[in-house]
């Protein structure tokens, strides 16, 4: 197992597949969700040339099994967007999610972003514990159905150095 940065062939498809499989089983999300993940990644990957953007992925036996990204452009106002954080079933509980989160937040601090924002939804308790452990605070909640089923969406923020 190794953590790599940047694009590698198959990265977009692997991340989309992990998201689609996991969230269809756990949350009932369908094609709308998968399409949004794919479209977002397709827009983001060519922007990796900008030093404010980065993606980390875990490879084991040449299979991508975890990812996290920082999009430093899409929100503006010196705000980083933590995106596409997923750990495949075979890697959960290994600490890799904590390692990836640490790398992403170190990157945010090194780039001197004032804040890092992420959107998620209620019920992802392990992820929420990890976010809060790393200085994120819940700042907003609302009911939404943009992913194909109704969930309580959440916005978390972390100020630099938190």
């Amino acid at each position: 197992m190794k953590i790599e940065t940047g694009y590698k062939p198959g990265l977009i498809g692997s991340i989309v597949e992990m998201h689609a499989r996991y969230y269809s089983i756990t949350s009932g999300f369908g094609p709308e969700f998968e399409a949004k993940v794919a479209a977002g990644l397709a827009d983001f990957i060519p922007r990796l040339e900008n030093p404010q953007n980065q993606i980390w992925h875990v490879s084991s036996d040449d299979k991508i099994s975890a990812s996290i990204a920082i999009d430093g452009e899409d929100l503006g106002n010196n705000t980083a967007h933590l995106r596409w954080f997923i750990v495949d079933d075979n890697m959960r509980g290994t600490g890799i999610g904590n390692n990836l989160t640490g790398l992403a937040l170190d990157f945010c601090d090194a780039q001197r972003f004032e804040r890092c924002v992420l959107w998620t939804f209620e019920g992802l308790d392990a992820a929420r514990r990890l976010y809060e452990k790393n200085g994120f605070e819940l700042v907003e909640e609302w009911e939404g159905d943009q992913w194909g089923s109704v969930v309580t969406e959440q916005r978390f923020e972390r100020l630099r150095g938190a």
Side-chain angles (χ1 to χ4, degrees), residues 8 10-12 14 22 29 34 39 42 51-52 68 73 87 107 110 121 126 148 153 156-157 162:
K8 84 184 257 181
L11 181 67
I12 294 170
S14 294
Y22 180 79
F29 293 174
E34 187 170 351
Q52 290 185 298
I68 197 168
E73 294 179 276
V87 177
F107 176 83
F121 57 93
E153 298 192 43
F156 284 81
E157 279 190 13

Side-chain angles (χ1 to χ4, degrees), residues 55-144:
I55 192 164
W56 296 260
H57 47 89
V58 175
S59 295
S60 180
D61 297 327
D62 210 32
K63 179 185 182 292
I64 296 168
S65 55
S67 70
I68 197 168
I70 294 295
D71 188 333
E73 294 179 276
D74 69 329
L75 299 178
N77 298 318
N78 203 26
T79 299
H81 186 183
L82 189 148
R83 307 181 78 180
W84 304 297
F85 180 41
I86 187 90
V87 177
D88 207 16
D89 289 340
N90 65 332
M91 298 294 290
R92 286 199 182 93
T94 65
I96 198 64
N98 192 54
N99 291 347
L100 287 172
T101 303
L103 289 169
L105 295 177
D106 287 349
F107 176 83
C108 288
D109 291 344
Q111 292 292 319
R112 305 194 53 76
F113 288 111
E114 288 300 317
R115 69 183 38 82
C116 182
V117 175
L118 66 88
W119 282 266
T120 187
F121 57 93
E122 190 176 60
L124 301 174
D125 298 333
R128 180 176 180 159
R129 283 190 299 274
L130 180 61
Y131 299 143
E132 289 175 338
K133 172 184 161 190
N134 282 283
F136 282 92
E137 294 182 6
L138 177 64
V139 295
E140 185 178 11
E141 286 186 305
W142 66 97
E143 290 292 308

Side-chain angles (χ1 to χ4, degrees), residues 4-38:
E4 301 173 278
T5 58
Y7 173 77
K8 84 184 257 181
L11 181 67
I12 294 170
S14 294
I15 294 171
V16 170
E17 180 183 9
M18 283 187 292
H19 276 80
R21 272 190 291 108
Y22 180 79
Y23 289 105
S24 70
I25 292 167
T26 63
S27 305
F29 293 174
E32 300 91 352
F33 175 74
E34 187 170 351
K36 284 184 183 187
V37 172

